């Protein structure tokens, strides 16, 4: 099949392209650095010619709530309109477990807008909500680190390997549209502060961690808010296995 990946130069997008190619598909790569801009629509119709399914693994860097909703909203509208013109039969959106339970997070507001547009949109769809990736804790501390210290919330998460996310997106894209897919998570719950400490240790990065609910994430993400719901699909690779592989 000819399957496009929006966000193909990104972390999960690049792994998804490889996963699709490994399964024998023709993967079309979409990203601004590849000459296709979802905000303006530039290059999009050409990229989607003959495409049967699209995986949306785009991202928006740190912004306020209004900007995040506008950024994800505009990209999604342009992508869905071009998919409709091209006759795409499955729009697969990578989303986040627990989005509806969390208030006050700008990125999540943008992702909710993306989900709303997909579910109400003109193209048959599958929304795949996953938990945080194994590298999430270190990504958080790299954003908050200052003068050798980094703030991080003591979130309870059930993280998943980036490669497992990509493999599942490739599998879903080659099937028909399924609507809302079950939550997808890794095998075990973890404490985000402990994940950050262990990841930075494996990567040889020294940083003092300061647990707090007053940084990037607030108390609406505490308790079980970020954990997968009953009936979740559990991916195989544990956080420990990922660390043993060098925390790639
Ligand atoms: N991190 C987590 O733990 C986690 C958990 C669950 C779900 N997610 C979701 O996973 C998704 C992907 O995350 P990621 O970390 O893989 O993203 P990433 O590495 O930041 O990659 C983002 C991709 O989006 C593309 N992009 C951004 N703006 C674009 C535009 N205007 N037009 C075309 N392409 C554009 C970028 O390409 P160019 O720069 O070339 O345009 C890049 O390929 C996000 O939506 C995130 O919410 C993340």
């Amino acid at each position: 099949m000819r399957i496009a990946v929006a966000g193909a130069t990104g972390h999960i997008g690049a792994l998804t392209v490889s996963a699709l190619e490994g399964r024998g598909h023709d993967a079309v790569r979409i990203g601004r650095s590849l000459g296709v801009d979802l905000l303006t629509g530039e290059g999009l119709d050409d990229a989607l010619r003959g495409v049967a399914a699209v995986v949306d693994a785009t991202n928006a860097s740190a912004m306020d709530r209004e900007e995040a909703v506008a950024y994800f909203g505009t990209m999604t509208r342009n992508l869905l309109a071009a998919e409709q013109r091209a006759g795409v039969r499955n729009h697969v959106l990578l989303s986040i477990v627990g989005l509806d339970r969390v208030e006050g997070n700008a990125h999540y507001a943008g992702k909710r807008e993306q989900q709303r547009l997909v579910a109400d949109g003109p193209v048959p769809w599958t929304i795949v909500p996953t938990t945080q990736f194994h590298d999430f804790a270190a990504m958080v501390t790299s954003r908050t680190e200052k003068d050798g210290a980094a703030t991080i919330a003591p979130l309870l998460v059930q993280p998943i390997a980036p490669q497992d996310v990509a493999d599942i997106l490739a599998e879903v894209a080659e099937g028909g549209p399924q609507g809302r897919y079950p939550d997808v998570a890794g095998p075990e719950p973890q404490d985000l502060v402990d994940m950050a400490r262990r990841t930075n240790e494996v990567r040889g990065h020294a940083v003092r961690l300061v647990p707090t609910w007053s940084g990037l994430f607030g108390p609406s993400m505490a308790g079980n808010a970020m954990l997968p719901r009953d009936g979740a699909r559990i991916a195989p690779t544990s956080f420990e296995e990922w660390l043993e592989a060098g925390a790639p």
Side-chain angles (χ1 to χ4, degrees):
M1 283 170 70
R2 194 166 165 81
I3 299 174
V5 177
T9 54
H11 186 30
I12 297 300
L15 291 170
T16 305
V17 166
S18 303
L20 286 166
E21 288 173 346
R23 296 165 86 97
H25 299 296
D26 176 13
V28 177
R29 300 162 74 238
I30 290 176
R32 283 166 302 186
S33 46
L34 303 164
V36 188
D37 189 339
L38 296 181
L39 279 185
T40 62
E42 182 198 345
L44 198 45
D45 284 327
D46 282 345
L48 293 187
R49 200 153 293 134
V51 161
V54 172
V55 176
D56 184 356
T58 55
N59 205 357
S61 46
M63 352 179 117
D64 68 27
R65 186 187 182 95
E66 210 175 302
E67 287 167 337
V69 169
Y71 197 90
F72 277 119
T74 304
M75 283 202 296
T76 305
R77 280 191 193 88
N78 285 339
L79 184 55
L80 291 173
E83 287 176 18
Q84 188 180 26
R85 291 192 290 275
V88 168
R89 296 187 294 279
N90 189 9
H91 176 94
V92 180
L93 172 64
L94 170 57
S95 195
I96 307 175
V97 164
L99 271 188
D100 297 330
R101 297 187 284 255
V102 173
E103 276 310 313
N105 181 307
H107 184 76
Y108 281 27
K111 296 292 291 182
R112 278 196 294 267
E113 174 70 352
Q114 209 183 17
Q115 289 196 158
R116 187 185 69 77
L117 291 165
V118 168
D120 293 348
V123 179
W125 53 274
T126 312
I127 292 177
V128 182
T130 81
T131 53
Q132 287 61 45
F133 309 149
H134 285 339
D135 59 307
F136 180 74
M139 186 192 78
V140 171
T141 62
S142 73
R143 278 178 58 190
T144 64
E145 184 175 341
K146 198 171 169 231
D147 301 328
T151 58
I152 183 162
L155 286 183
L156 184 58
V157 297
Q158 193 164 322
I160 182 168
Q163 184 65 58
D164 288 346
V165 174
D167 290 342
I168 289 169
L169 290 174
E171 178 199 308
V172 170
E174 70 192 9
Q178 299 183 55
R180 193 187 156 90
Y181 197 78
D183 287 350
V184 178
E188 295 151 353
Q190 301 282 342
D191 164 351
L192 199 69
V193 180
D194 184 56
M195 283 172 66
R197 181 170 295 118
R198 295 166 73 194
T199 307
N200 284 322
E201 231 168 67
V202 165
R203 291 180 175 176
H205 182 65
V207 56
R208 186 170 63 84
L209 300 180
V210 182
T212 176
W213 288 110
S214 305
L216 289 181
F217 307 126
S220 73
M221 295 171 81
N224 290 346
M226 308 312 297
L227 296 183
R229 282 171 254 204
D230 288 347
R233 175 169 176 179
I234 303 300
T237 314
S238 70
F239 182 65
E240 277 72 22
E241 285 167 328
W242 179 78
L243 286 178
E244 280 160 19

